[in-house]
Amino acid sequence: MQHHNQKILDCTIRDGGLVNNWDFSVEFVKDLYKSLCDAGVDYMEIGYKNSPKLLKSANAGPWRFLDEKFLKEVIPVKGYTKLSALVDIGRVDEADILPREESSLDMIRVATYIKELDKALELVQKFHDRGYETTLNIMALSHVMEHELEAAFAEVRESPVDVVYIVDSYGSLSPTDISHLVDKFKRLLPNKLLGVHTHNNLQLAFANTLVAVEKGVTFLDASVYGMGRAAGNCNTELLVSHLRNPRYEVRPLLDVIERHMLDIRKKWEWGYIIPYMIAGALNEHPRVAMALRASEDRDKFVEFYDRLTSVEVAGSTQARD
Amino acid sequence: MQHHNQKILDCTIRDGGLVNNWDFSVEFVKDLYKSLCDAGVDYMEIGYKNSPKLLKSANAGPWRFLDEKFLKEVIPVKGYTKLSALVDIGRVDEADILPREESSLDMIRVATYIKELDKALELVQKFHDRGYETTLNIMALSHVMEHELEAAFAEVRESPVDVVYIVDSYGSLSPTDISHLVDKFKRLLPNKLLGVHTHNNLQLAFANTLVAVEKGVTFLDASVYGMGRAAGNCNTELLVSHLRNPRYEVRPLLDVIERHMLDIRKKWEWGYIIPYMIAGALNEHPRVAMALRASEDRDKFVEFYDRLTSVEVAGSTQARD
C-alpha cells in the first residue's frame, strides 16, 4: 500500500510543551524545523496561539503564546514543512490572528470538546476567512455518546473546515475503537478530510494511527521520540519510517533524537509510565496521574489504582486536552 | 468481545533472562509466580530447559538451565498458573526431561527455525510422549518465504504438538503482517491451536497481540513491564487489563512492577530504544543493536543506521531467537 496522500503533522513543540512548560530553546526549535523539512514531514505545530491575557501560565516558554514577530526570527525562511498552531476556545484573542499572508503560520487548528462545537466553528470560520487552512480537533471522543456526535456533525459538514480530527485525549482507544470512529466520521463527514491524534498510554498510539491510515485518514499527528503530554504521542520516527512514500526519510529524525531528545528525556518524563497506563485503561483524563507523578507518591501504583477504581472518586470532570 | 478462550503465557523470566543473564533472585521468582496466579495468568515460562553441557553460558542464573530439584524448592506448591520451559534444538539433553508426573513443568516449548523443523518435531514427539503439553515456536517468520512454510506444515499437521506459535523474533511485523500470517497458519494448520510471541521494536507488540486475539489465536506470550530481549515483549499488564475475562486481574501485576520491575529496569535496559527500533524497521536480528548498546557508541543512532543500511553489511545471518 502506498501512502502518498497522508500528511504527517509533528506536534513535538506543542504537545511536548505540555510536558516541559514549553521550555524549548530557539536553537532546538530551529534545528527541529530543519530536520522535519529534511525528513519530509508535512506540518510542524510550533505551539499554541493562545493569548497570555486570557490564560495564566507562569514562566511558560514562548511556544505557549506564539508571537508573529518572534516566529519570523525563529524561522525567517520556510522550507518544505508548513507551520501550524493550536488554539483553545476562550483562550485565543482573535485580534492576534493576522491575515495569513502576513503570518508565518499556514494552518490554525481549533481544539474543542463536543459541547463547545458552536464556538469552535465560529473560530474556524474566522480563521478560514483570514486565509488559513483549518482543522477542528474534537477531544475526549471516548467520553462522547454517538447520538451527540451525529447531532453535532450536521453543522460541521456546512463549515469550511478542511480537516476534522479524531483526538484520543485519554489514550484509551483500541485499534477496534479507532476503526469504528473512522467509519462513523467518514459516514457523517463525507466532504471533509480526517485526521487522528493519539496518545500512547496503552502503547497503541502508533498502531491506532496505522489503523487510521488503512481506513483512509489523511492527517496524522505525531511527535519526535513520542514527546507529548503524559504517555506521549505516536512517534514521528515510526510513522516516517513505516509509511511508503519516497518523500519521507527517517535519518534526520534519528539525528534529532540522538542530539537532543535523549537529553530532554533525561530532564522531563513522558511515555509508557504505569499511572498513565492505568488512567488510559480506565478511560480517564491523565491529569490525576500527572499530579501523582509530580508528588512523592509517584511510584505508588497500587494505591493509585485503588483510588481510581474506588466508587467514591470514579469518573473525572472534563478538562483541557 | 469476550476472551474466555485465550491463555496468557508470561515469559518474563525466560525472555527477560536474555536481558539480565537470568539474574533473578529466588525470592523475586516466587513472588512473581504468586502474582501471576493472583492475576489469573495461565502459564509462567520459568526459564530454559537447555543443558549446561551443551551450551556455554558464563555466570548465567539458574533459570537458564532449569533443574527439577531446584524448581521444587522454588515452587513447592503450585497454584493456578501452570509452568512452562523453552528448549532450543541442539541445546537440550533429552535425558534431562523427566516424565511429566515427576516434573514441576506442565508444558515444554520447542523454539525452531523453519529449516530445523524436523528436529523440532522429533523433540515435540518425545516431550508429548512423556506427558507434556507442547508447543512449536517458529522463529524469524519475517525471513521465511511462504512456499517454505506451506511445504513444512504438512508435517506439523501430523505432529501431536498442541500449539504452533507465530514468533516475531525481529519485532518487525505490523498488524497487517500478523493478520496475514494468522490467516495462513489457520488455513494450513486447521487442527492446531495457535500462539503469538511478539517483540516491541516498533511499539507494536501489544497491538499485534490484539490482532491475533481478534483472529482467534489462543496462546498469547507477554512479559511483565515488557521485560524481554532488546525491545522486550507485549506487556502482561496490558493484556490482563484489556482482555474481557473475569479471571484476569491487573492489580497483582501493578504490585510486582511497583515492588520489583522499576528497580530491575534501573539496572538493566529493554524497551523502545532507537537502535532496536532501527533493527525492527529494517527486519534485522537485534544482536547488532544489542552489541551497540553494550559499547561506548550506544547512542550513536545515525552512525548505526548508516551502517545497517549501507550495502556492504546488509542482511544478517540467522541466530538464536
Side-chain angles (χ1 to χ4, degrees):
Chain A
M1 188 176 184
Q2 292 197 315
H3 303 111
H4 290 192
N5 295 327
Q6 272 71 36
K7 308 279 184 195
I8 299 177
L9 186 149
D10 184 89
C11 56
T12 309
I13 302 303
R14 201 272 307 162
D15 209 318
L18 291 159
V19 172
N20 70 354
N21 203 20
W22 296 273
D23 179 23
F24 297 109
S25 71
V26 169
E27 290 63 35
F28 168 69
V29 175
K30 280 173 182 272
D31 201 0
L32 179 63
Y33 181 71
K34 182 181 180 308
S35 302
L36 291 171
C37 288
D38 291 346
V41 170
D42 305 275
Y43 292 80
M44 174 183 187
E45 189 151 88
I46 195 161
Y48 279 94
K49 188 79 186 112
N50 289 331
S51 167
K53 287 171 277 176
L54 299 172
L55 174 63
K56 279 181 200 155
S57 195
N59 305 316
W63 324 99
R64 182 63 168 139
F65 304 109
L66 287 172
D67 172 85
E68 290 282 2
K69 190 157 161 272
F70 171 73
L71 258 185
K72 284 270 188 324
E73 288 166 20
V74 177
I75 300 179
V77 181
K78 280 163 72 178
Y80 172 78
T81 305
K82 292 181 177 179
L83 294 179
S84 80
L86 191 71
V87 302
D88 290 317
I89 292 165
R91 296 177 175 178
V92 57
D93 181 349
E94 294 164 31
D96 288 346
I97 311 290
L98 301 179
R100 179 172 175 185
E101 58 272 21
E102 299 167 29
S103 171
S104 294
L105 299 170
D106 301 283
M107 173 185 268
I108 298 186
R109 311 205 304 166
V110 179
T112 185
Y113 292 104
I114 200 81
K115 65 175 181 179
E116 297 185 301
L117 197 60
D118 287 345
K119 293 178 192 162
L121 290 173
E122 280 179 29
L123 286 173
V124 160
Q125 182 71 55
K126 283 175 185 156
F127 303 148
H128 173 81
D129 292 344
R130 289 177 203 177
Y132 295 96
E133 300 176 40
T134 57
T135 80
L136 192 64
N137 294 25
I138 306 179
M139 298 184 288
L141 279 168
S142 58
H143 284 198
V144 177
M145 284 184 291
E146 302 218 349
H147 69 273
E148 296 180 89
L149 215 54
E150 303 203 3
F153 275 12
E155 285 180 272
V156 178
R157 279 194 297 276
E158 304 305 314
S159 154
V161 69
D162 298 298
V163 187
V164 181
Y165 264 83
I166 295 168
V167 181
D168 180 16
S169 302
Y170 304 157
S172 62
L173 300 179
S174 71
T176 310
D177 298 327
I178 292 285
S179 175
H180 174 80
L181 279 170
V182 173
D183 285 342
K184 179 166 284 293
F185 274 55
K186 277 162 79 172
R187 186 167 58 74
L188 295 172
L189 302 169
N191 60 337
K192 299 297 175 193
L193 293 175
L194 299 183
V196 70
H197 178 94
T198 59
H199 279 276
N200 208 26
N201 302 59
L202 304 178
Q203 298 195 14
L204 291 172
F206 179 45
N208 283 346
T209 305
L210 292 186
V211 168
V213 169
E214 295 299 315
K215 290 255 164 186
V217 169
T218 307
F219 277 76
L220 313 173
D221 280 16
S223 56
V224 176
Y225 211 45
M227 185 178 186
R229 196 191 54 188
N233 307 114
C234 174
N235 295 50
T236 309
E237 70 274 15
L238 287 172
L239 266 187
V240 163
S241 166
H242 184 84
L243 295 183
R244 293 177 184 273
N245 182 329
R247 185 176 69 244
Y248 294 135
E249 183 61 61
V250 73
R251 194 179 185 278
L253 302 180
L254 300 176
D255 188 41
V256 166
I257 296 171
E258 178 176 334
R259 287 186 298 109
H260 297 290
M261 301 311 291
L262 293 182
D263 286 339
I264 294 176
R265 183 62 184 80
K266 273 180 200 146
K267 193 166 170 194
W268 303 96
E269 76 165 26
W270 69 89
Y272 182 75
I273 291 163
I274 293 297
Y276 301 145
M277 172 267 182
I278 293 171
L282 296 173
N283 190 11
E284 295 278 348
H285 194 286
R287 99 175 57 74
V288 188
M290 292 170 79
L292 182 86
R293 292 302 293 173
S295 78
E296 281 183 0
D297 296 336
R298 61 204 314 269
D299 290 332
K300 294 190 175 167
F301 304 152
V302 173
E303 200 177 290
F304 180 71
Y305 178 76
D306 288 347
R307 184 149 57 91
L308 258 67
T309 53
S310 76
V311 180
E312 292 74 29
V313 298
S316 70
T317 53
Q318 273 192 347
R320 292 288 166 187
D321 173 48
Chain B
M1 187 177 185
Q2 294 196 315
H3 303 111
H4 290 191
N5 294 328
Q6 271 71 35
K7 308 279 185 194
I8 300 177
L9 186 148
D10 183 89
C11 57
T12 308
I13 303 302
R14 201 272 306 162
D15 209 319
L18 291 159
V19 172
N20 70 353
N21 203 22
W22 295 273
D23 179 24
F24 298 110
S25 72
V26 169
E27 290 63 36
F28 168 69
V29 175
K30 279 173 182 274
D31 201 1
L32 179 63
Y33 181 70
K34 183 180 179 310
S35 303
L36 292 171
C37 287
D38 292 346
V41 170
D42 304 275
Y43 292 79
M44 174 183 186
E45 189 151 88
I46 195 163
Y48 279 95
K49 189 81 185 109
N50 288 330
S51 166
K53 286 171 279 177
L54 298 173
L55 173 62
K56 278 182 202 152
S57 194
N59 305 316
W63 325 99
R64 181 64 169 136
F65 305 108
L66 288 172
D67 172 85
E68 290 282 2
K69 190 157 160 272
F70 172 72
L71 258 185
K72 283 272 188 320
E73 289 166 18
V74 177
I75 300 179
V77 181
K78 279 162 72 177
Y80 173 78
T81 305
K82 292 182 178 178
L83 295 179
S84 79
L86 190 70
V87 302
D88 289 317
I89 292 164
R91 295 177 175 179
V92 55
D93 181 347
E94 294 163 32
D96 288 345
I97 311 290
L98 300 178
R100 179 172 174 185
E101 58 271 21
E102 300 167 29
S103 171
S104 294
L105 299 170
D106 300 283
M107 174 186 267
I108 298 186
R109 311 206 303 166
V110 179
T112 185
Y113 290 104
I114 200 80
K115 65 176 179 177
E116 296 184 300
L117 196 60
D118 287 345
K119 292 177 192 164
L121 290 172
E122 279 179 29
L123 286 173
V124 161
Q125 182 71 55
K126 283 174 183 154
F127 302 147
H128 173 81
D129 291 345
R130 288 175 204 178
Y132 294 96
E133 299 175 41
T134 56
T135 81
L136 192 64
N137 294 27
I138 305 179
M139 300 184 287
L141 280 166
S142 58
H143 284 197
V144 177
M145 284 183 290
E146 303 218 348
H147 69 274
E148 295 180 271
L149 216 55
E150 304 205 3
F153 275 12
E155 284 180 274
V156 178
R157 279 195 297 277
E158 304 305 315
S159 154
V161 70
D162 297 299
V163 187
V164 180
Y165 263 83
I166 294 167
V167 181
D168 180 15
S169 303
Y170 304 156
S172 61
L173 299 179
S174 72
T176 310
D177 297 327
I178 292 285
S179 175
H180 174 79
L181 278 171
V182 173
D183 284 342
K184 178 166 287 289
F185 273 56
K186 278 162 82 173
R187 185 167 58 75
L188 295 172
L189 302 169
N191 60 338
K192 299 299 175 191
L193 294 174
L194 299 183
V196 70
H197 178 94
T198 59
H199 280 275
N200 209 26
N201 302 58
L202 305 178
Q203 298 195 14
L204 291 172
F206 179 45
N208 283 346
T209 306
L210 292 186
V211 168
V213 169
E214 296 299 315
K215 289 257 163 185
V217 168
T218 306
F219 277 76
L220 313 172
D221 280 17
S223 57
V224 177
Y225 211 44
M227 185 180 185
R229 195 191 55 189
N233 308 115
C234 174
N235 294 50
T236 309
E237 70 275 14
L238 287 171
L239 266 187
V240 163
S241 167
H242 183 84
L243 295 183
R244 294 178 183 270
N245 182 329
R247 184 175 72 244
Y248 293 134
E249 183 62 60
V250 73
R251 193 178 186 278
L253 302 180
L254 300 176
D255 188 42
V256 165
I257 295 171
E258 177 176 335
R259 288 186 297 109
H260 296 291
M261 301 310 291
L262 293 182
D263 285 339
I264 294 176
R265 182 62 183 80
K266 274 180 200 147
K267 193 166 170 193
W268 303 96
E269 77 164 26
W270 69 88
Y272 182 75
I273 292 163
I274 294 297
Y276 301 145
M277 172 268 183
I278 293 171
L282 297 173
N283 190 11
E284 294 278 348
H285 194 286
R287 99 175 56 74
V288 188
M290 292 170 78
L292 183 85
R293 293 301 293 173
S295 78
E296 281 182 1
D297 296 336
R298 62 204 314 271
D299 289 333
K300 294 191 175 167
F301 304 153
V302 173
E303 200 176 291
F304 179 71
Y305 179 76
D306 287 347
R307 184 147 59 90
L308 259 67
T309 52
S310 75
V311 180
E312 292 74 28
V313 297
S316 70
T317 53
Q318 271 192 347
R320 293 288 166 187
D321 173 48

